[in-house]
Amino acid sequence: MEQEDFTEMEPPPSPKPSFVRNVNLAAMDEDYLYHLALDTKHNDLKDMFRDVKFVCFGGSPGRMKAFAFYMVKQLKYKITAGQTLEDISKGSDRYVLYKVGPVLSVSHGMGIPSLSILMHEILKLLNHAGCDPGEVMFFRLGTSGGLGLEPGTVVISEAAVDGLLRPYMEVATLGMVIQHPAFLCPELNKELLEVSKSVGCQSVLGKTMCTYDFYEGQARLDGAFCEYTEEDKRNFLKRAHARGIANIEMESLCFAAMCHRTGVKSAVLCVTLLDRLQGDQISTPHDVMEEWQCRPQRIIAEFIRKKLGITD
Amino acid sequence: MEQEDFTEMEPPPSPKPSFVRNVNLAAMDEDYLYHLALDTKHNDLKDMFRDVKFVCFGGSPGRMKAFAFYMVKQLKYKITAGQTLEDISKGSDRYVLYKVGPVLSVSHGMGIPSLSILMHEILKLLNHAGCDPGEVMFFRLGTSGGLGLEPGTVVISEAAVDGLLRPYMEVATLGMVIQHPAFLCPELNKELLEVSKSVGCQSVLGKTMCTYDFYEGQARLDGAFCEYTEEDKRNFLKRAHARGIANIEMESLCFAAMCHRTGVKSAVLCVTLLDRLQGDQISTPHDVMEEWQCRPQRIIAEFIRKKLGITD
């Protein structure tokens, strides 16, 4: 009999949404969001961020800057004459943060630890700003390696699992390894799949494997180290594929787990840059890749336009 | 009887130094170092990098750019009139990479996964360039939270351990969790401690805890989530301190483990920005912190000057 697959379970009811779950925060005189270079003493976070409704995360600072300017057009957002968008976190060179009306566009770097720092600080920021956690949505717009998919396909993650197929993120916390389940929202995913069709992007629902290492963690043959054969690799990826893994990246597990802890609605949309069942190296021309990387952005832009009632 | 402490062991003899241990690499027609935006087809890596002897890694792109320009002065390096240093990896916005004669200055972002991607690609780069792995040294110049140390103190890592005090990095590799021990070089550390004295930087040798999470992973009370008390935190940090942990950061374990796998000599020097036994938030003025963050750079600059026989 096949092992029970927890990723097929209906997500348990989320707790009452709350950006933070930490009794210490209320007692702090001041909160310095160190890696965002913002704080509650020198920045009026309510004034700056209270209207935020959609937070869009992506790895690359350049891509998230471009997304912000793309959203200016998509939302018909009026920038004051003689002004432009600025990186709100320019005092730090860890992340970039742009705001276009109700949309935040923020870069998270690569890997779970880098995303995790940002998530903590963005969640605290939205809490300080007095946003309604039941009304805000989080999206990760990323890149990934696909399994058995035509490169350029967007995978909307049904569930995130780690490199051993476990559907939770482990955090070593004061000597205990705490497991945080990584559920995502089936209804939101269904809605996003419809939107992706309406903008003509090839999209699928599937499970996403999230690893801590890009080379050995994803069974690549082209890292500095490789202690397995091409056959080992092929068999591993095929077995993962057979269990519903559609793509592999490095942040979804943390993203889903932290969103689930808050009860904030969230989705992960990653375009596949190559089919890992075929190879490891990326050889697609730069301009084609650029267009692929815009696909999750196009889907989310259209989704947000619909929610805001913006039509052409 | 106290538990045996493996971090006190003499490191086993390193294998014959080699930047890469992967039989597949020799058979590849071309190698695209994707996250560095360099490849063996369009870039003459031998010509560009064959003289590299010291590779300096740090988290922040701005800091590693500043370090490169600092090294220009320290090495009395002649930049051609009308030219300046450029980010060699400017085609990617994942990392910055600068070269000043035999010194590379490269940013690794935050956390083990981000560092790990870079390490694989830098190791392959040096291999393609034909550098001698027995002659190259790697340094991580970072920031950290200290335990029981005056902020501004530089910790030279004797050993790196994870958030559970285990002296190895685990990599989930094709369904197996492989443990890579994280040894560092006692002789090199002794030499660096002497140099730090000669440049007037307060430095100590100590063990470094390396975590996957900045807030809950490091027992902070000021994250978005906190499921433990101030007393739990204090007790955990005190017990870590009692076992020789001098500071906490997020990359040393991977850095030490990957260097040990190659046999390349390496050291980790992190300045402490606060004493975690006293608090979590950083309230030191910006300019004081800037000076502190230069301390590991000053030590390594002097170390390199000594090796190259450069005097004022």
Side-chain angles (χ1 to χ4, degrees):
Chain A
M1 209 178 79
E2 200 179 341
Q3 182 198 326
E4 190 176 2
D5 187 343
F6 294 103
T7 61
E8 303 288 338
M9 282 168 59
E10 271 295 294
S14 281
K16 187 174 174 307
S18 174
F19 292 121
V20 300
R21 302 193 188 276
N22 179 355
V23 292
N24 302 305
L25 294 178
M28 287 167 65
D29 281 344
E30 184 188 347
D31 190 10
Y32 182 17
L33 306 168
Y34 179 68
H35 302 87
L36 293 174
L38 291 169
D39 68 79
T40 52
K41 198 168 164 186
H42 301 91
N43 305 108
D44 183 346
L45 299 179
K46 276 201 169 58
D47 184 59
M48 293 169 77
F49 296 107
R50 194 167 28 192
D51 62 337
V52 169
K53 292 275 186 287
F54 308 96
V55 188
C56 301
F57 298 77
S60 143
R63 211 188 319 132
M64 296 321 286
K65 179 180 180 178
F67 178 67
F69 281 95
Y70 175 66
M71 289 309 291
V72 169
K73 284 189 201 160
Q74 291 296 309
L75 302 187
K76 301 175 185 172
Y77 181 75
K78 179 98 181 109
I79 296 181
T80 307
Q83 298 185 10
T84 186
L85 299 183
E86 81 160 347
D87 173 10
I88 300 170
S89 290
K90 64 183 182 305
S92 160
D93 66 349
R94 304 301 192 164
Y95 307 110
V96 301
L97 174 62
Y98 291 89
K99 183 174 184 297
V100 182
V103 177
L104 287 186
S105 177
V106 55
S107 69
H108 57 58
M110 288 185 288
I112 285 180
S114 184
L115 173 67
S116 158
I117 295 172
L118 178 70
M119 290 289 286
H120 274 280
E121 298 188 8
I122 287 284
L123 289 168
K124 291 202 291 175
L125 181 151
L126 297 175
N127 188 58
H128 291 308
C131 299
D132 179 348
E135 294 292 318
V136 173
M137 292 183 190
F138 282 15
F139 300 102
R140 164 162 150 70
L141 315 178
T143 58
S144 63
L147 293 182
L149 295 170
E150 192 186 333
T153 304
V154 173
V155 177
I156 302 172
S157 303
E158 291 176 297
V161 300
D162 74 3
L164 304 166
L165 288 206
R166 300 177 303 179
Y168 48 77
M169 176 172 69
E170 290 190 330
V171 182
T173 307
L174 283 72
M176 301 193 288
V177 181
I178 312 280
Q179 300 173 342
H180 299 289
F183 289 105
L184 289 158
C185 316
E187 302 79 22
L188 178 56
N189 279 351
K190 230 176 279 173
E191 213 175 327
L192 289 166
L193 193 64
E194 286 305 311
V195 171
S196 72
K197 280 179 199 160
S198 77
V199 297
C201 282
Q202 172 69 26
S203 297
V204 297
L205 292 171
K207 289 179 206 165
T208 299
M209 178 184 281
C210 175
T211 70
Y212 286 87
D213 184 82
F214 182 80
Y215 287 95
E216 295 174 289
Q218 299 188 6
R220 280 186 160 80
L221 298 171
D222 61 345
F225 310 107
C226 183
E227 297 174 346
Y228 40 84
T229 66
E230 185 163 2
E231 194 186 354
D232 295 333
K233 168 202 157 168
R234 211 168 34 237
N235 291 341
F236 176 75
L237 293 181
K238 273 189 191 164
R239 287 176 55 222
H241 186 219
R243 292 194 71 86
I245 303 297
N247 64 338
I248 312 180
E249 46 76 271
M250 299 182 71
E251 294 89 11
S252 57
L253 191 68
C254 173
F255 186 78
M258 289 186 78
C259 289
H260 183 67
R261 280 177 91 179
T262 61
V264 169
K265 280 203 183 108
S266 67
V268 177
L269 294 85
C270 292
V271 70
T272 59
L273 298 181
L274 75 171
D275 181 358
R276 292 295 317 290
L277 298 180
Q278 306 300 326
D280 294 339
Q281 289 254 318
I282 294 171
S283 54
T284 308
H286 188 73
D287 54 330
V288 176
M289 291 246 296
E290 287 290 309
E291 192 275 313
W292 289 351
Q293 295 188 21
C294 292
R295 292 180 180 182
Q297 302 188 356
R298 279 170 48 209
I299 298 168
I300 290 302
E302 182 59 22
F303 177 87
I304 293 174
R305 280 161 53 95
K306 272 184 67 178
K307 291 287 168 197
L308 298 177
I310 296 172
T311 51
D312 284 325
Chain B
M1 207 177 81
E2 201 180 341
Q3 183 198 325
E4 192 175 2
D5 186 343
F6 294 103
T7 61
E8 304 286 339
M9 282 169 57
E10 271 296 294
S14 280
K16 188 173 174 303
S18 174
F19 292 120
V20 300
R21 302 191 186 279
N22 179 356
V23 292
N24 303 305
L25 294 178
M28 287 166 64
D29 280 343
E30 183 188 347
D31 189 9
Y32 182 17
L33 307 169
Y34 179 68
H35 302 87
L36 293 174
L38 292 169
D39 68 79
T40 52
K41 196 168 165 187
H42 301 92
N43 305 107
D44 183 345
L45 299 179
K46 276 201 168 57
D47 184 59
M48 293 168 77
F49 295 108
R50 192 168 29 192
D51 61 338
V52 169
K53 293 276 186 288
F54 307 96
V55 188
C56 301
F57 298 77
S60 144
R63 211 188 318 133
M64 296 321 287
K65 179 179 180 180
F67 178 66
F69 280 96
Y70 174 65
M71 289 309 291
V72 169
K73 285 189 200 160
Q74 291 296 309
L75 301 187
K76 300 174 185 173
Y77 181 75
K78 180 98 181 110
I79 296 181
T80 308
Q83 298 187 10
T84 187
L85 299 183
E86 81 161 348
D87 173 10
I88 300 169
S89 290
K90 64 184 181 304
S92 160
D93 66 350
R94 304 301 192 163
Y95 306 110
V96 301
L97 173 61
Y98 291 90
K99 182 173 184 296
V100 182
V103 176
L104 287 186
S105 177
V106 56
S107 70
H108 57 59
M110 287 184 290
I112 284 178
S114 183
L115 172 66
S116 158
I117 295 172
L118 177 71
M119 289 289 287
H120 274 280
E121 297 187 10
I122 287 284
L123 289 168
K124 290 200 293 175
L125 181 151
L126 297 175
N127 188 58
H128 290 308
C131 299
D132 179 347
E135 295 292 319
V136 173
M137 291 183 193
F138 281 16
F139 300 103
R140 162 159 152 71
L141 314 178
T143 58
S144 63
L147 292 181
L149 294 170
E150 192 184 335
T153 305
V154 173
V155 176
I156 302 172
S157 303
E158 290 177 298
V161 300
D162 74 3
L164 303 167
L165 290 205
R166 301 178 302 180
Y168 48 78
M169 176 172 68
E170 291 190 332
V171 182
T173 306
L174 284 70
M176 299 194 287
V177 181
I178 311 279
Q179 300 174 342
H180 299 289
F183 289 105
L184 289 158
C185 316
E187 301 78 22
L188 178 55
N189 279 351
K190 230 175 280 174
E191 213 175 328
L192 289 166
L193 193 64
E194 285 305 311
V195 171
S196 71
K197 281 178 198 161
S198 78
V199 297
C201 282
Q202 173 68 25
S203 297
V204 297
L205 292 172
K207 289 179 205 164
T208 299
M209 178 185 280
C210 175
T211 71
Y212 286 87
D213 183 81
F214 182 78
Y215 288 96
E216 294 173 288
Q218 299 188 6
R220 279 185 161 80
L221 298 172
D222 61 345
F225 310 107
C226 183
E227 297 173 347
Y228 40 84
T229 66
E230 185 164 0
E231 193 186 352
D232 295 334
K233 168 203 158 170
R234 212 170 30 237
N235 290 342
F236 177 74
L237 292 181
K238 272 189 192 163
R239 286 175 57 222
H241 185 219
R243 291 193 71 87
I245 303 297
N247 64 337
I248 312 179
E249 45 77 270
M250 299 181 71
E251 294 88 13
S252 57
L253 191 70
C254 173
F255 186 79
M258 290 187 76
C259 288
H260 183 68
R261 280 177 92 179
T262 60
V264 169
K265 279 203 184 108
S266 67
V268 177
L269 293 85
C270 291
V271 70
T272 59
L273 299 182
L274 75 170
D275 180 359
R276 291 296 318 291
L277 298 180
Q278 306 299 325
D280 293 339
Q281 288 254 318
I282 293 172
S283 54
T284 307
H286 190 73
D287 54 331
V288 176
M289 290 243 298
E290 286 292 308
E291 191 275 313
W292 289 351
Q293 294 187 23
C294 292
R295 291 181 181 182
Q297 301 189 356
R298 280 170 48 207
I299 297 167
I300 290 303
E302 182 58 23
F303 176 87
I304 293 174
R305 281 161 52 95
K306 271 183 67 178
K307 292 286 168 197
L308 298 177
I310 296 172
T311 50
D312 284 323

